[in-house]
Amino acid sequence: MVNSKPNYITIAHVGIMDMSSVSLGMNKNHYSNAGIKTNGTFSVNIPSVKMVKETDYCGLFSGKVKNKTVLFKTFFGKLKTAPMIEECPVNMECELIKTVDFPTHDVFVGKVAATYCDECVLTDGEVDFGKVQPILFVMNDRSYYKLGEKFSKAWDVGKELR
Amino acid sequence: MVNSKPNYITIAHVGIMDMSSVSLGMNKNHYSNAGIKTNGTFSVNIPSVKMVKETDYCGLFSGKVKNKTVLFKTFFGKLKTAPMIEECPVNMECELIKTVDFPTHDVFVGKVAATYCDECVLTDGEVDFGKVQPILFVMNDRSYYKLGEKFSKAWDVGKELR
């Protein structure tokens, strides 16, 4: 929420800190940073490949000049001030727990308060990324990639080298 | 380097902070944390799908009980104390610039000092992730996925919605 209006931004510089918190590395010039500081909340919304135009648009144009509220159906969760996107198959609302200062970037660290998913992307009650069809971003060739096939079991295939 | 020996660990909790720095979220129990603190350096080594057994092995077994040096050909770069993996198509050596404390995790933030790549993964002088064939990890179903097809241009396809 920036100036009492939902705003959405495409972020490449993301991270996982530990089992319950995530980070967003955001250039200090961005319109959204003030909203995160004011509310102490933000959301992480994972778009699917069919939302690539809207996702790219949110990275091309700033909330200073475009009203990005109109792109999506917005909903709120228990934190009340972190708008989320109904069309996204996975949405996480986060409480800001740390801000780490970098020369040109604010790194916002949020603890995930709740996750909201479309039932269509669940398999046995867990989010199935094969069904989410997330957009993967590569900076080098400025391209979006799809997730490929599942090819091996983690914490398992390496036992063969024991 | 831990106790003067190269050690390798598979990390799921990674992040990008800004244009030049990356993070590793590492449980405080891990054997490698002391080495990063002592040397003030670490490396990030991106394995390809054909290295999935070695990669999984490095996540299954601790350096406390297994000598993981023998799995790879090690090389050093300009920082001298951050061992890297010859078999990995992309290796980054990093200088530790911040450690952010979380209840169970040390989050180590490193500034990339140099990147070393196999020439086979370059296209027009840039790392081409289609050629790298990185291993993508999904925690939910404990699986490794391949990178899929490139399907759209970033900072471009969204202009259609203008």
Side-chain angles (χ1 to χ4, degrees), chain A residues 4 29 31 38 43 53 74 80 88 93 95 105 107 111 129 131 153 157:
Chain A
S4 313
N29 295 331
Y31 178 70
T38 302
S43 70
K53 285 182 193 174
T74 293
K80 309 290 186 197
C88 282
E93 56 175 346
E95 252 177 303
H105 283 59
V107 174
K111 195 174 169 67
F129 276 89
K131 293 180 180 172
K153 280 183 79 174
V157 67

Side-chain angles (χ1 to χ4, degrees), chain A:
Chain A
M1 295 292 284
V2 189
N3 298 328
S4 313
K5 219 178 58 192
N7 189 60
Y8 296 103
I9 175 170
T10 314
I11 300 290
H13 297 156
V14 296
I16 302 177
M17 303 283 100
D18 64 4
M19 298 306 286
S20 63
S21 57
V22 294
S23 68
L24 304 179
M26 293 175 54
N27 193 297
K28 291 177 184 177
N29 295 331
H30 286 316
Y31 178 70
S32 304
N33 298 31
I36 295 174
K37 287 176 186 170
T38 302
N39 297 302
T41 62
F42 61 85
S43 70
V44 175
N45 313 280
I46 302 180
S48 64
V49 294
K50 67 186 172 201
M51 296 170 68
V52 68
K53 285 182 193 174
E54 290 80 359
T55 305
D56 196 55
Y57 182 94
C58 286
L60 277 166
F61 301 105
S62 168
K64 288 172 201 154
V65 294
K66 298 277 183 190
N67 176 11
K68 293 187 271 188
T69 311
V70 299
L71 288 171
F72 309 107
K73 282 185 215 133
T74 293
F75 73 98
F76 289 88
K78 62 184 192 180
L79 297 180
K80 309 290 186 197
T81 55
M84 290 175 281
I85 296 176
E86 237 182 82
E87 292 86 345
C88 282
V90 180
N91 301 272
M92 292 175 277
E93 56 175 346
C94 301
E95 252 177 303
L96 184 69
I97 57 170
K98 272 186 216 290
T99 303
V100 189
D101 191 52
F102 284 79
T104 58
H105 283 59
D106 293 318
V107 174
F108 297 112
V109 178
K111 195 174 169 67
V112 179
T115 301
Y116 303 84
C117 314
D118 188 334
E119 285 193 350
C120 302
V121 301
L122 300 180
T123 296
D124 301 330
E126 289 278 352
V127 173
D128 180 336
F129 276 89
K131 293 180 180 172
V132 170
Q133 298 186 49
I135 299 169
L136 307 177
F137 173 59
V138 173
M139 181 78 91
N140 296 7
D141 61 1
R142 297 182 163 218
S143 287
Y144 297 120
Y145 286 74
K146 291 183 182 176
L147 184 65
E149 56 165 328
K150 192 192 293 195
F151 74 102
S152 206
K153 280 183 79 174
W155 295 312
D156 185 75
V157 67
K159 289 178 190 164
E160 291 176 34
L161 298 182
R162 197 158 35 177

